Amino acid sequence: MSLTSDPRPAEPVAPVQPGGIRCDRCGAPLADDQEWCFACGAARTVIHPPPDWRIPVAVIAAVVVLVLAGFAIALIELAGVG
Ligand SMILES: [Zn+2]
């Protein structure tokens, strides 16, 4: 049995579907990440996906934990001295 190469037809790259997003002012189709209308120059309200908030939250939580730990150690030291 010989495996013949299967030349798959290259799937056509679908262009940005017009009609999905249109300029509010002139109705020209806009790309998904296009912030300005190339036809009339109107700015589009781009809804950026929210950034990943878990990383800064984790950093802040770690800092808070370290500060609290240091504070607790300082209290214990003070209590020991006092
Ligand atoms: Zn426009």
Side-chain angles (χ1 to χ4, degrees):
M1 179 181 280
S2 66
L3 292 174
T4 59
S5 63
D6 181 22
R8 296 171 182 270
E11 295 189 6
V13 177
V16 175
Q17 294 292 331
I21 302 171
R22 286 186 177 277
C23 176
D24 290 336
R25 186 185 294 178
C26 71
L30 300 176
D32 201 26
D33 58 348
Q34 187 175 333
E35 299 186 18
W36 296 86
C37 176
F38 292 152
C40 70
R44 183 169 74 87
T45 304
V46 178
I47 301 174
H48 291 285
D52 193 358
W53 53 267
R54 282 168 291 188
I55 293 175
V57 166
V59 170
I60 291 172
V63 170
V64 168
V65 167
L66 288 175
V67 169
L68 288 178
F71 190 65
I73 291 172
L75 280 181
I76 292 171
E77 291 286 332
L78 289 176
V81 171

